[in-house]
Amino acid sequence: MPGTVVTFYSYKGGVGRSFTLANIAVLLARWGHRVLCLDWDLEAPGLDAYFRPMMSAAPSGGVVDLIDDFLVGRLRPGAHTTRLRGAEKLDVVTAGRADAAYAGRVQKLDWESLYEQGFGDYLERCREQWTAEYDYILIDSRTGISDIGGICTAHLPDRLVVLFTANVQSMKGAVDIAERANVARDRMPYDRPQLPVLPVLSRFDAREEYARSEEWRRICLEETKGLFRNWLDRDVSPDVMSRHLTLPYVSYWTFGEQLPVVKELNPTADQISFALETVAAVVAHDFDRTDLLAENRDAYVAAIRAEKSTFAYDVRISTPRPAKDLAGDLMKYLGELGASPVLSLSGERSMLGKADDARHLCLLVDGEVSRWQSAEVELFLHRTLGQDRRVIPVLTEDTDPNTLPGYVGNLRHLRFGPSRGPVEIARSLMDQLGGTTALIEPGELDVAGVLRQAARAQLRPLMWGLVDEIVADLQFAIGAGESERAQELAEDLLLATRSRSTDTGSDRRVLAPPGTRTAIEWAVQIAEARATRHGFSGFLDQ
């Protein structure tokens, strides 16, 4: 899938546009995306200042060199890229080499003449190469209304992020340029859809003069609410979203070119990195799933953070200490089946901070959910909403699901039983982890196991007629997905094939007739059939 071009624009200077872009670039790269930054603010370049500590050498070229390449007929958009240290895939194309000749080179640029010579088609080919190599191309645009601004806001982007401060000029200018961009795109010879625009209120100080700040927040929303129309979920109000898209004023970060997201790795709600993470997550979600953002901001960010991440373990087995041996057996068989499990014992304080090192959480419940397990579930769910990660309760044989709290009792669970030991539970867990589900719910009895046991039984000839009837009913119940009925019939089959004290002498008992054996084998195949889930709808996967 080709990458996405996102332009960061502000009508006025001093709103923190380059600061925001640089920090969001670092976050996207940290989350596993390939990111390229382009400094198109040729008259006042400075994006490279944020990345200078990550450069092994000064850039030898930049955007102005791309223009020189065009004039001599060369297409090499990657030739002027600077690779940054300390990031998996974060590159930058600066404005150009900062030497005495730079200002003169920029002043000589005639954009109208360049486009007449085919510069638009050249940029389109550059864009194709950038989007083939990177997931996100972030463009730092010049302020105001200009030819460069038109290139950055109309020609190149798939998405537009407009930053403004709480003053009328900044707001109106941002809205105006967004409208101009869509008009210009309609006249372009390239296939470009309507441009989604993300309005970001920047450097907003709500800590002093609260009443005044709320009034200005209302003014900003009234001026920019039209920009939400073509991408915001219809159940989410622009007011709620605008609060998520507000970057607070923090005086500490106004001194020099700094990257707070490098220092604030686990930010709290009052830190600027918290707000930057939110905006970066909206960009990474392609302005989508805003209903989840409105519901749970932390889960929204965690979902995109985990999208390309790898987990150290497939499943965490959370167990109270009395069930430790049972949990150990379960882990053993999961390992033999190819899974990577990790044990979490109630009371191990260090485990509470590791909710994100395993993709799924298996809750081994012995009688009741312990307070420690409740805390584990709460942390897991808080960080997981909207992701394909599951909480799977596994109940011991004596645990009554009807007595469990709703957040566990309402989940689809597995249960130990007379014919369902650690091996069978491990197999069912592997189905859950692999995104498949049995045609019937796993209950106390392993239906396939009961059928296999019946196939090996020796019964009086008349009893095999009863077995035939039960097996025929079982086939129907399994095929219809009637889990409770299948469990009842499996119990009947278990009773029918059980050895009795009155059965003395091998001459009174025979193996299953061929027709019965064939019917049993067919029923086993149905009982073990699995269906793949099409998508994941949440934790209450009942």
Side-chain angles (χ1 to χ4, degrees):
M1 181 180 295
T4 302
V5 182
V6 184
T7 289
F8 287 69
Y9 171 86
S10 63
Y11 181 72
K12 304 283 284 185
V15 304
R17 184 193 66 249
S18 299
F19 166 86
T20 302
L21 184 153
N23 279 277
I24 286 177
V26 171
L27 287 170
L28 292 174
R30 181 184 298 161
W31 296 341
H33 298 284
R34 301 165 300 167
V35 183
L36 175 67
C37 302
L38 288 158
D39 191 350
W40 270 87
D41 191 359
L42 302 185
E43 281 78 6
L47 184 62
D48 59 302
Y50 290 94
F51 298 124
R52 199 161 290 143
M54 304 166 70
M55 293 180 179
S56 55
S60 59
V63 172
V64 291
D65 298 282
L66 287 174
I67 300 167
D68 288 343
D69 286 346
F70 163 69
L71 292 173
V72 297
R74 291 193 299 255
L75 177 67
R76 47 176 197 166
H80 311 295
T81 299
T82 301
R83 175 64 53 83
L84 302 181
R85 292 180 286 107
E88 287 294 321
K89 186 67 171 180
L90 177 55
D91 300 339
V92 61
V93 177
T94 65
R97 187 170 58 253
D99 55 19
Y102 176 79
R105 295 172 71 190
V106 172
Q107 290 169 358
K108 290 179 181 178
L109 294 175
D110 183 339
W111 296 104
E112 184 176 352
S113 174
L114 285 170
Y115 265 81
E116 288 175 353
Q117 296 174 62
F119 185 66
D121 292 335
Y122 169 79
L123 267 186
E124 197 69 8
R125 294 198 298 274
C126 289
R127 186 184 189 279
E128 288 176 1
Q129 290 198 21
W130 287 328
T131 55
E133 186 174 351
Y134 297 93
D135 299 311
Y136 290 98
I137 299 90
L138 309 184
I139 298 176
D140 194 11
S141 173
R142 183 187 176 189
T143 58
I145 300 173
S146 64
D147 292 326
I148 292 179
I151 293 171
C152 297
T153 59
H155 183 169
L156 290 174
D158 300 299
R159 306 277 189 272
L160 180 61
V161 177
V162 293
L163 290 97
F164 58 93
T165 52
N167 70 69
V168 174
Q169 291 181 64
S170 186
M171 282 184 288
K172 287 186 176 292
V175 173
D176 178 63
I177 206 68
E179 294 173 350
R180 286 172 178 263
N182 272 314
V183 171
R185 286 163 77 88
D186 288 340
R187 298 197 300 261
M188 288 170 54
Y190 313 108
D191 184 19
R192 294 286 193 274
Q194 189 176 22
L195 189 65
V197 182
L198 192 74
V200 176
L201 175 56
S202 182
R203 298 194 171 182
F204 189 70
D205 191 351
R207 291 172 296 182
E208 304 290 339
E209 300 289 344
Y210 177 78
R212 187 168 175 78
S213 69
E214 283 300 298
E215 173 62 15
W216 269 99
R217 189 188 289 279
R218 185 194 63 77
I219 294 171
C220 292
L221 179 60
E222 188 63 30
E223 195 68 45
T224 61
K225 65 182 181 182
L227 300 180
F228 294 92
R229 190 175 300 116
N230 70 340
W231 60 268
L232 183 63
D233 187 279
R234 64 182 181 181
D235 294 326
V236 180
S237 72
D239 176 60
V240 168
M241 188 53 49
S242 68
R243 291 177 184 272
H244 283 296
L245 300 177
T246 298
L247 302 179
Y249 173 77
V250 181
S251 59
Y252 179 84
W253 299 113
T254 64
F255 298 102
E257 291 81 11
Q258 303 183 76
L259 295 171
V261 297
V262 173
K263 298 182 179 180
E264 299 173 347
L265 295 179
N266 296 293
T268 55
D270 60 339
Q271 293 179 301
I272 194 168
S273 295
F274 187 87
L276 287 165
E277 277 188 343
T278 307
V279 176
V282 175
V283 171
H285 278 293
D286 290 329
F287 295 17
D288 197 10
R289 302 188 68 190
T290 49
D291 55 332
L292 175 58
L293 174 55
E295 179 182 351
N296 187 326
R297 177 268 175 198
D298 289 348
Y300 185 78
V301 173
I304 206 67
R305 185 190 294 131
E307 185 178 54
K308 290 181 175 290
S309 65
T310 57
F311 294 91
Y313 305 98
D314 294 321
V315 60
R316 175 175 294 282
I317 309 294
S318 170
T319 179
R321 292 186 180 274
K324 179 181 177 182
D325 291 343
L326 192 58
D329 290 340
L330 194 55
M331 289 185 61
K332 172 189 172 184
Y333 294 118
L334 282 171
E336 291 178 358
L337 292 169
S340 173
V342 62
L343 186 67
S344 173
L345 277 174
S346 291
E348 288 192 58
R349 189 175 299 274
S350 63
M351 290 299 166
L352 281 183
K354 297 182 178 180
D356 286 336
D357 67 349
R359 181 175 291 277
H360 305 292
L361 175 64
C362 171
L363 211 63
L364 182 54
V365 182
D366 185 24
E368 63 179 6
V369 178
S370 71
R371 292 184 179 181
W372 202 265
Q373 288 178 313
S374 294
E376 281 191 291
V377 172
E378 183 178 353
L379 278 173
F380 186 89
L381 295 183
H382 181 70
R383 300 175 183 178
T384 307
L385 185 63
Q387 301 173 55
D388 188 4
R389 301 174 69 192
R390 301 179 179 88
V391 176
I392 307 170
V394 173
L395 314 185
T396 59
E397 189 171 350
D398 296 330
T399 301
D400 183 358
N402 296 318
T403 65
L404 300 178
Y407 62 88
V408 173
N410 290 335
L411 296 174
R412 178 175 182 169
H413 64 267
L414 304 173
R415 190 174 183 181
F416 287 95
S419 65
R420 290 184 63 78
V423 174
E424 290 75 23
I425 293 294
R427 287 173 180 159
S428 294
L429 265 175
M430 289 298 291
D431 287 340
Q432 295 275 348
L433 303 183
T436 60
T437 183
L439 293 181
I440 54 171
E441 298 285 341
E444 292 185 21
L445 291 175
D446 176 15
V447 175
V450 171
L451 284 162
R452 288 194 183 93
Q453 183 176 320
R456 296 190 297 268
Q458 294 186 43
L459 304 174
R460 288 176 297 166
L462 288 176
M463 290 298 295
W464 284 117
L466 175 61
V467 170
D468 283 337
E469 293 179 11
I470 296 173
V471 170
D473 289 343
L474 251 178
Q475 290 177 348
F476 180 83
I478 296 169
E482 297 177 355
S483 301
E484 292 185 8
R485 178 62 176 155
Q487 285 285 309
E488 293 172 357
L489 290 166
E491 188 171 353
D492 292 343
L493 184 60
L494 197 60
L495 290 171
T497 56
R498 188 176 61 186
S499 297
R500 292 169 174 79
S501 58
T502 56
D503 293 336
T504 58
S506 59
D507 58 322
R508 303 185 61 180
R509 290 174 290 155
V510 297
L511 292 171
T516 302
R517 183 176 294 276
T518 300
I520 290 175
E521 290 174 352
W522 175 240
V524 168
Q525 292 181 38
I526 300 174
E528 292 187 330
R530 298 293 185 266
T532 302
R533 290 190 186 91
H534 297 285
F536 178 63
S537 58
F539 296 106
L540 300 184
D541 190 15
Q542 301 176 31

